[in-house]
Amino acid sequence: MTASLLDRIDSPADLRGFAPDDLPKLAAELRDFLVESVARTGGHLASNLGAVELTIALHYVFDTPADRIVWDVGHQSYAHKILTGRRAAMAGLRQGGGIAGFPRRAESAYDAFGTGHSSTSISAALGMAEAFRQTGSNQRAVAVIGDGAMTAGMAFEALNNAGATNLPLLVVLNDNDMSISPNVGALNNYLARLMSGRFYAAARRAGEKVLSVAPPIRELAKRAEEHVKGMVTPGTLFEEFGFNYIGPIDGHDLDVLVETLSNIRKLSGPQFLHVVTRKGKGYTPAETNPCLYHGVARFDPAAGLAEKSGGAPTYTQVFGDWLCDMAAADARLVAITPAMREGSGMVRFSQDYPKRYFDVGIAEQHALTYAAGLACEGVKPVVAIYSTFLQRAYDQLIHDVALQNLPVMLAIDRAGLVGADGPTHAGSFDLGFLRCVPNMLIAAPSDENECRRLLTTAFLHDGPSAVRYPRGSGPGTAIETDLAPFEIGKGVLRRRGRDVAFVAFGSLVAPALEAAETLDASVADMRFVKPLDRALLRELAETHRLLVTLEENAVAAGAGAGVAEALADMGLSVPMLHLGLPDTFIEHGDPKTLLAACGLDAAGIAAAVKLRELPISE
């Protein structure tokens, strides 16, 4: 039996001891390990399978960890983790106490920069390259960015800055949105090798020096070079940013990758390498349906993933169905997503209403201002966006939407903890940063039917609005088929008890009701975070000895703070207990376990009330 190459690697230093002819076999072993490992833990699969050869080549050529590799988003960094001493730790990937699904500086010296959100890699790597120049170091910085992440303005801001620095920064574009086209073949690989070589670079510098004395001829030569490059590469754009563009090359050809990267490592100035890969490479089901295999739960690799069917609808599905129903009822509705069609439940809408569906790419800032422009002209935009990604468009929300009081509706998915994806993707802060913005209507549904009705309420509101709902399914409440709204700013008393009143928002209404049974407490489902139901709050404050606010959001500046402010404004004084997410970043793990650890399950809520040592009436 042939010994495994992967078993011989504890660090990239071991990898660099291999002969080049060993690398394809290593890639096959690494790919098999990825499929088996992710099948046991769940995680991002297709993107990691597509980046195997690129990861091997980068660690083979560059002297990591001294040379820094910054993985954009980081959902394609599993092979990187395996090659950098964390192969055994993959058994605990994205699980409580285990390694993260994204690069983390605290986890490994090889994780040069913590990522999770898109389009940060070039900025971070450029900062590192400048730091190396400041300290006189010859270390190199590499940014690995996917084609989707190149749609964000931040990536182009960084390119614009980098091109003017002459720093030895390498940007690798991992282009996996297409199969390898005919021009990415032998001729193109040869040209890439040629353009990355020192002879080409030296000849180019010499030519520029000679022709600098004759500007018209120099300009003619420059145009001729761009024309020749442009016939076989799409690199003119990146050349204009000041980069030396190389590629596109086959991102699964290790010989080409290693030789090209080795040549680039010897060059000065900003370099841009365009590699074309295939998502799901090497695992047929993932190659056939890379979207389905982008993020997976545990599965049998031999059988593949089964299409989900049946079961209680998730909040995302409730939104998707509502979107189609409301679009049928109101021709003004259009829907916008920043590259999250599947995740936000918009597939059916995109098929049924293709002319009213807009995927703007990973460009959250643009999505909000684009929606504002639509709203200026009488269209009613719905922006479906994850809570964690809305953070990236905060200025646009304030300046372009709220300040002008435009009827843009935000459907905020993944509000609260999200589990395995961890703190980079948790929606922990939206109530705090939304609540302080003037003109905002903010709603938090406690079940599926309430979600549907609050979506209608927000859509019909003549101003900016937001409905935030968690990942996964709700308590299983039957969903009405009509599009009836609620009265704005009105909550409902779900349970009448004594002494203690739970003022609950959204997903924590259900555990509040459960805890209330053991305490004989009242439970108010507030429905609206802004405006608050002040009449209901007054009644609770005047008839109970303790008010407990509950929210799946950071306590600091959250909904509970709003309740305290409202009571103070009404001149009411009552003991209060604010329960929510603590003032820390919550690690990855099982969502129910994490909520329990935060004291936000029924047992934790009841225990927190009892700790106040407030005498309960007999």
Side-chain angles (χ1 to χ4, degrees), residues 28-98:
E29 292 180 7
L30 185 51
R31 191 166 270 115
D32 289 343
F33 181 87
L34 273 171
V35 173
E36 294 296 327
S37 178
V38 176
R40 289 192 296 268
T41 63
H44 292 95
L45 182 59
S47 55
N48 282 289
L49 291 173
V52 166
E53 288 84 3
L54 176 59
T55 304
I56 291 172
L58 285 167
H59 281 294
Y60 192 73
V61 171
F62 288 91
D63 183 22
T64 54
D67 290 336
R68 313 298 196 197
I69 301 175
V70 181
W71 300 92
D72 208 285
V73 182
H75 65 309
Q76 78 283 43
S77 65
Y78 293 2
H80 158 80
K81 287 176 181 268
I82 293 165
L83 295 176
T84 54
R86 287 168 279 179
R87 181 169 44 126
M90 289 293 289
L93 179 74
R94 305 168 80 242
Q95 299 172 42

Side-chain angles (χ1 to χ4, degrees), residues 196-446:
S196 67
R198 282 186 289 180
F199 174 79
Y200 175 84
R204 182 178 182 182
R205 288 194 300 270
E208 289 176 348
K209 184 176 181 181
V210 170
L211 294 175
S212 63
V213 297
I217 300 176
R218 180 187 180 190
E219 181 63 24
L220 178 63
K222 183 175 183 294
R223 289 175 181 270
E225 180 191 39
E226 289 177 352
H227 178 68
V228 171
K229 276 191 172 184
M231 287 191 296
V232 291
T233 73
T236 303
L237 171 64
F238 301 106
E239 294 276 2
E240 291 297 327
F241 274 113
F243 282 76
N244 178 42
Y245 173 89
I246 300 159
I249 65 173
D250 184 346
H252 300 298
D253 188 325
L254 275 160
D255 288 338
V256 172
L257 281 169
V258 168
E259 183 174 353
T260 303
L261 287 169
S262 297
N263 286 335
I264 290 173
R265 196 170 187 271
K266 302 167 187 173
L267 299 178
S268 61
Q271 308 293 322
F272 192 100
L273 175 62
H274 182 175
V275 303
V276 177
T277 61
R278 184 169 186 176
K279 291 185 76 171
K281 173 73 174 177
Y283 181 56
T284 301
E287 287 188 15
T288 304
N289 193 344
C291 190
L292 179 65
Y293 284 82
H294 174 73
V296 299
R298 295 179 177 89
F299 70 101
D300 179 358
L305 287 173
E307 295 282 356
K308 294 179 181 179
S309 60
T314 64
Y315 281 103
T316 301
Q317 291 169 327
V318 171
F319 165 72
D321 291 340
W322 170 85
L323 190 65
C324 292
D325 293 345
M326 184 56 75
D330 193 328
R332 299 174 300 165
L333 183 149
V334 300
I336 301 165
T337 176
M340 295 301 297
R341 183 185 72 156
E342 287 77 15
S344 293
M346 302 173 74
V347 173
R348 182 160 71 92
F349 180 87
S350 69
Q351 296 167 346
D352 292 352
Y353 300 95
K355 294 184 178 180
R356 296 160 66 180
Y357 166 77
F358 304 100
D359 184 344
V360 300
I362 302 177
E364 295 89 356
Q365 294 171 299
H366 165 62
L368 266 290
T369 304
Y370 177 56
L374 286 162
C376 283
E377 304 304 326
V379 176
K380 293 277 284 184
V382 176
V383 181
I385 191 168
Y386 288 10
S387 172
T388 185
F389 300 144
L390 178 60
Q391 296 164 185
R392 297 160 65 92
Y394 193 49
D395 177 66
Q396 288 68 30
L397 172 66
I398 295 173
H399 185 274
D400 300 336
V401 176
L403 180 61
Q404 303 185 94
N405 200 28
L406 293 170
V408 173
M409 174 186 158
L410 304 175
I412 305 176
D413 204 330
R414 271 64 166 181
L417 301 182
V418 294
D421 282 339
T424 60
H425 284 62
S428 305
F429 311 111
D430 56 83
L431 291 184
F433 69 69
L434 288 174
R435 196 175 64 79
C436 64
V437 179
N439 295 330
M440 287 297 304
L441 168 71
I442 309 168
S446 64

Side-chain angles (χ1 to χ4, degrees), residues 439-461:
N439 295 330
M440 287 297 304
L441 168 71
I442 309 168
S446 64
D447 60 41
E448 299 89 338
N449 189 60
E450 201 167 88
C451 182
R452 180 177 172 91
R453 294 191 65 181
L454 285 172
L455 287 166
T456 300
T457 307
F459 179 76
L460 297 177
H461 177 60

Side-chain angles (χ1 to χ4, degrees), residues 33 37 96 108 128 170 182 225 286 492-493 559 568 580 589:
F33 181 87
S37 178
S108 170
M128 294 172 185
L170 170 59
E225 180 191 39
V492 59
L493 192 64

